[in-house]
Structure formats: structure tokens, C-alpha cells
Amino acid sequence: MSVVGGLWKRSALALLLVPALAGAARAFDREGIEVINRNYTAMMEALEADPADGVDAPLDAAYRLLNHGEDRPKANEDGPAGSAAAPAGSTRQGVVGKALVAPILQQVALEVGSMGHRELMEAAAPSGGEVLVVKAGSLTLSALPDALESSGWQDFLTGADGNYSLNIPLVIMEDGTLVIGPGDRLEMATDRGAFILNLGTLTVTDATVTGSDARPRLSDFHPFILTARGGRAAITGSRFSNLGFDTRPLMSGLAFGSSPFASLKSQGTVSDTVFDNVRSVEVTGIEDFVFSRNRIQKARGIGLRLDKLKGGAIRDNVIIKSGMHGMLALGSTGLEVAGNISAENGGRGFFGRDGVGHLVVADNVFVANEDEGVAVAGGSCVDIRGNAVLRNRRDGINVSQSLGVRLAGNLLVRNQGAGISINDSISPADSVEVTQNRFVANNVGITAERFSAIRLSGNNLSDQLPVLFGGALQYDTPRYLGWVRAHEDDPEAVFEISSARGGSPLIFQGDSNGMFRLSDMTGCHFEELK
């Protein structure tokens, strides 16, 4: 074919597309976009407010962004949804003692590993290898100095009238309980390697816990609190700052850890609490964890790290300006991530990978993150619905190597990559459902590479013109525009795109009618859209 002939054919195709493009352009919703922009601006202003004012103002603004200007219903006066009562601890008078730290860390290592323990013992060397222990019974922080004075250990915890400094590592043993109560302020001595290891029961209510500004023996050490080996912790209405032994697992600030094989799992709930300049909040291997109405700001690492959880609810939190991802979920199942704001983080707003399953990511706002707003790699039964994903530096939503995925009812605005990106399917029998999403001025609307099948229905791309599809989907643009014109009065109609191109990393090949179908084994059940 001559060059002139090729140009003529492309010009003719462009002329044929003009009516379809014009029809879509007539649906441009200038007023609706102005409402989105106003609500976005109001939410970003609320995020800059004093964190001591709580999370209500930014969550109210986020709700208006998600619900076209409607006001958020009043919160349940009985407390945040999914919250639990404080763990029951001992009512006996507390008994304190001293112990060597090495044998205790060896017991912890049997369940959650020993990485970082050698450096931890070096950081805590000023204590001579010893720790203070709450051996049994219950003690409040204000009663602890008197208990120590009777044994001549008053230098371990100094201060009075609600202001205390912990100068030695503290371990709460299995039968012990420590209560840090309203108005208490506990500063852990960074230069003396102080930390709290909770193997029993810890309650922190309306209190402040911080690491001191003193220079540590190891440059990246900051105090931390770890609940492990069946320990129980309930934290509410408090503030944590200057915590986290950088890059050491489960020493990142506030952490909960259990082995998948442990007969007694650690338990934890955290609500209405502010985390400022911690490395991370980290949760590994526990069940039914509840994290609600908290604010994590300027975390030095990942804001909230969730590893191998079973069940649990992450609701109504504000996570802003983390050094890495806002939230990371690894190999967790049955997790609900709902009603959160994840903004201006150094990585993704939310990243689920390495076997996350039966995951719901709903009614969140992911905005201005340095990478994707939402990314899932290696997941199954993933329902990403009703989120606002705006102005992220790469894709709005990116899904790869996953099964049983639904992307529904999301608002995708001005992301610098694609609004939705789908890549690297792992079964030819699987399809991704993309329904009732709205796309506004993303770099590309929807892009895909090495995919099996994508089912589109009820999506609004009228404000996404001119680049609707990218990657391998771009060749289906004319067919899609014709289909839209033919089904203007049928919102339930489905436009399906399938791909069987070579080079796809599908783990099953051949006749899908007779082979083992992994997609049939996922047991996905998605909530009906409202």
C-alpha cells in the first residue's frame, strides 16, 4: 500500500469517528467537574488542619467528594464501627521484677523471627542486658514509680504527676497488665534503648507516648511498642510520636505480631489515635484486627503495613505524607479497607500483593500519591468499588496477575497515568469487570496489556476524551464508540474485549472448556452496587 493510500484510509477513519466523538462530547459535565474540584480543594484544606482536631473534618470533606456534595451521616455515638472493648487484664495488684533481655527475645524470635534483635540489644546496652518486667497483676503507669521505689529501682521510671520517663526496656509478661491512662505522658529514653514489649495486656487511653530527642547508640534507633506471643492491646484517643527502629521488622513504632502457627494469637484494636513521625504501624499474622479513625502523618516508611492478616477492618483513617506507601497489604485475606483517606504518600495510596484475597477496597479517597492510587498484584476476589482516585502521579487503579477482580463505581480524575490499568492475566478463563466508573481527564482512560478478558458496562467516559483506551485496547476504540452509540438506552449492556495474543504469561493454556479453571475456585461474592 502506498503512503498516500495509507494516509487517505486513516483520514477516512478519523472522519467516521467524528460523529461518535461529538456525541460523547455532548455529555461533557462542566458543572459536575466544578463540584468535584470544589470538594477536592475543601478536602485538601481539611487535611492541613491541626491533627489534634481529629479526623472528622477531612472525612466529612471526603464523603462530600464521594457523594456529590452530600453531608456525611453523624457517627455512631457508641464508638467506631468494629471497635472492641478494652482487653480484660488481671485485677490483682501488679508485681514488678527484673530479667535478662536475651532469653525473652529468644522466645519472641520463635514466633516472629529474630531479625534486628542483635542491633536492639546493642541499642539497649546501657541497661546492662536487663529489662524491667511487669510479672503479674495489674499496674497503672502512675502507680509504677511506687512499686519500683520499694525495690530501689526508682531510676527505671522517673517523673510524677502524669509525666514520666522510661529509662530501661519494659516487658509486660503473660500474666501482667499495664494501663497508661488519661492525661499520662510517657517518654521513652532513646539514648538508653528503651522500648515496650507486651506479652500480656496493654491499655493506652487518652495518653501520649513518645521517644525522647536524645542521641541513640545506633543512629536509626527510636523506641517502639510491640505486642507479640498472644499479647493483647487496646489503644484509643492517644498520640504516638518519634517511634520506630528503622527497617527492623515489628520494631517500626507500634506493632502487633503473631505466627500463622501460633495457638494463641495476639490481639489488637487502635482507634482515634494520632501517629506522628513514626516509622510505621505494622501488623503481622493476627486475626480480626481493627484500625479505625486514626491519623498517620509523616511516617518515615509505610504508613500502615498489614502482613498475613485474617479478617480485619481498616476504616475511616487518614494516612498522609508517608515516606513510602500509605497502606500495604501482603498475603492478607478477608480484609476490609473502607472510608479512608490516603494522600500525598511517597509510594502508592494502597498496595495489595503476594496473595491478598477476598479483599474489599471501598469508599476511600486516594489522592496525590507519588505512584498509583490503588495497586493490586497477585490477588484474588478483589472488589475495588466506590473510591475517588484523583491526581496520582501514575495510574489511578492498577491491577496485575490477579483473579476475580471487580472495579466498580469509582471516580478517576486527572491521574497522570491511566485511570484504570489491567495487566498480566494468569488464567484465560478469567475476566475483569469494569462497571459504572467515571473517568475525568486522566492521561488515558483504560489501558491493558497481556490480559484475558475485560467486561465494560455502564462506565462514563464522556469527560475522558480524546484518549479513551491505551495499550492493547487502543485498537478497540472505534468498535467501542460504535457500541456506545448503539446501546445508549441500555445501561446494562456489556462490551467485552478479549485477548489471546502470544507472549501472555497465562499459567494455563489450551482448551478452557476441559481444563482446571482456577477462577472457579476463588469463591468470589461481590456486594451488589447501589
Side-chain angles (χ1 to χ4, degrees):
M1 180 186 296
S2 68
V3 174
V4 173
L7 289 172
W8 183 88
K9 286 199 169 186
R10 284 195 291 271
S11 299
L13 176 60
L15 289 172
L16 290 172
L17 290 177
V18 166
L21 291 169
R26 281 195 295 270
F28 182 81
D29 183 6
R30 186 178 303 278
E31 182 179 351
I33 292 175
E34 289 177 353
V35 171
I36 292 171
N37 289 336
R38 284 199 302 271
N39 289 326
Y40 161 81
T41 300
M43 188 193 71
M44 297 306 289
E45 290 175 351
L47 287 174
E48 296 300 325
D50 186 349
D53 295 336
V55 297
D56 282 324
L59 290 179
D60 287 345
Y63 188 91
R64 286 191 289 272
L65 176 61
L66 287 164
N67 294 278
H68 313 292
E70 293 183 12
D71 290 333
R72 186 165 67 115
K74 291 184 178 180
N76 186 346
E77 294 182 359
D78 294 331
S83 62
S90 173
T91 58
R92 293 182 294 141
Q93 179 63 35
V95 179
V96 296
K98 289 196 300 183
L100 294 175
V101 66
I104 295 174
L105 291 180
Q106 287 173 358
Q107 292 298 312
V108 172
L110 292 175
E111 184 165 323
V112 296
S114 62
M115 185 177 294
H117 285 187
R118 182 179 61 81
E119 296 94 331
L120 178 60
M121 293 180 67
E122 171 64 20
S127 302
E130 292 184 320
V131 295
L132 171 65
V133 296
V134 179
K135 297 169 64 176
S138 179
L139 279 170
T140 64
L141 183 64
S142 59
L144 189 52
D146 290 340
L148 294 174
E149 187 173 6
S150 62
S151 300
W153 301 334
Q154 57 269 25
D155 291 340
F156 291 172
L157 183 73
T158 57
D161 300 326
N163 289 284
Y164 303 96
S165 179
L166 179 65
N167 302 308
I168 187 174
L170 170 64
V171 178
I172 306 167
M173 301 303 287
E174 287 82 352
D175 295 326
T177 298
L178 178 64
V179 177
I180 303 176
D184 285 343
R185 184 182 189 279
L186 176 63
E187 181 180 84
M188 293 188 278
T190 302
D191 55 328
R192 299 191 63 82
F195 60 87
I196 295 176
L197 174 58
N198 172 36
L199 311 179
T201 302
L202 173 65
T203 302
V204 184
T205 305
D206 299 331
T208 298
V209 180
T210 184
S212 73
D213 293 328
R215 183 175 180 178
R217 288 176 60 89
L218 297 182
S219 60
D220 56 350
F221 175 81
H222 296 79
F224 61 88
I225 299 175
L226 167 61
T227 295
R229 288 188 61 82
R232 302 162 301 282
I235 296 167
T236 185
S238 297
R239 185 175 186 123
F240 293 79
S241 61
N242 298 331
L243 302 179
F245 197 173
D246 289 351
T247 73
R248 274 63 172 193
L250 296 175
M251 304 180 200
S252 54
L254 178 68
F256 301 80
S258 277
S259 164
F261 309 107
S263 58
L264 181 62
K265 298 281 190 180
S266 300
Q267 301 174 27
T269 62
V270 185
S271 63
D272 295 288
T273 292
V274 175
F275 298 88
D276 187 13
N277 188 32
V278 301
R279 171 72 184 181
S280 181
V281 177
E282 186 174 358
V283 190
T284 297
I286 73 172
E287 299 176 357
D288 300 322
F289 177 68
V290 176
F291 192 80
S292 62
R293 293 181 52 81
N294 304 290
R295 180 176 177 124
I296 303 175
Q297 58 188 28
K298 298 180 180 178
R300 300 189 301 277
I302 296 164
L304 179 61
R305 188 180 192 276
L306 309 166
D307 189 1
K308 299 181 181 64
L309 270 62
K310 290 188 177 180
I314 311 301
R315 298 185 188 136
D316 300 330
N317 303 285
V318 174
I319 303 176
I320 182 171
K321 297 181 179 178
S322 302
M324 298 174 68
H325 307 306
M327 292 176 275
L328 173 65
L330 300 158
S332 298
T333 58
L335 193 63
E336 179 191 31
V337 179
N340 306 283
I341 300 172
S342 184
E344 300 181 298
N345 298 293
R348 299 168 173 91
F350 174 87
F351 188 20
R353 64 181 178 89
D354 297 353
V356 292
H358 296 276
L359 169 69
V360 175
V361 181
D363 304 321
N364 306 281
V365 175
F366 301 100
V367 58
N369 296 289
E370 287 295 315
D371 210 304
E372 289 103 351
V374 182
V376 175
S380 63
C381 295
V382 177
D383 191 11
I384 301 174
R385 68 171 189 267
N387 304 283
V389 189
L390 304 91
R391 300 174 185 260
N392 296 285
R393 294 293 295 273
R394 296 185 66 185
D395 299 330
I397 299 174
N398 183 294
V399 176
S400 62
Q401 299 179 337
S402 298
L403 286 165
V405 175
R406 182 176 74 167
L407 311 175
N410 300 289
L411 173 65
L412 302 134
V413 181
R414 296 187 183 280
N415 296 289
Q416 294 185 24
I420 289 175
S421 179
I422 300 165
N423 302 286
D424 299 331
S425 297
I426 60 175
S427 169
D430 188 57
S431 65
V432 178
E433 182 180 344
V434 181
T435 183
Q436 297 182 28
N437 302 284
R438 183 178 182 186
F439 298 79
V440 179
N442 303 282
N443 189 44
V444 180
I446 306 172
T447 187
E449 296 286 359
R450 300 174 300 279
F451 63 96
S452 296
I454 300 171
R455 293 168 55 85
L456 304 175
S457 65
N459 298 288
N460 183 348
L461 287 143
S462 59
D463 300 322
Q464 178 55 47
L465 295 172
V467 186
L468 303 185
F469 296 156
L473 299 186
Q474 61 184 304
Y475 307 105
D476 288 282
T477 302
R479 186 167 69 92
Y480 176 77
L481 290 172
W483 176 87
V484 169
R485 289 174 60 84
H487 295 84
E488 287 180 338
D489 299 325
D490 185 5
E492 303 297 324
V494 175
F495 181 82
E496 184 164 352
I497 308 172
S498 61
S499 172
R501 294 181 176 86
S504 176
L506 304 181
I507 60 174
F508 295 123
Q509 302 289 343
D511 182 4
S512 63
N513 293 325
M515 70 178 186
F516 175 81
R517 292 179 56 175
L518 187 58
S519 58
D520 289 344
M521 305 299 291
T522 57
C524 304
H525 300 287
F526 296 141
E527 181 178 307
E528 185 176 347
L529 295 177
K530 297 178 181 179

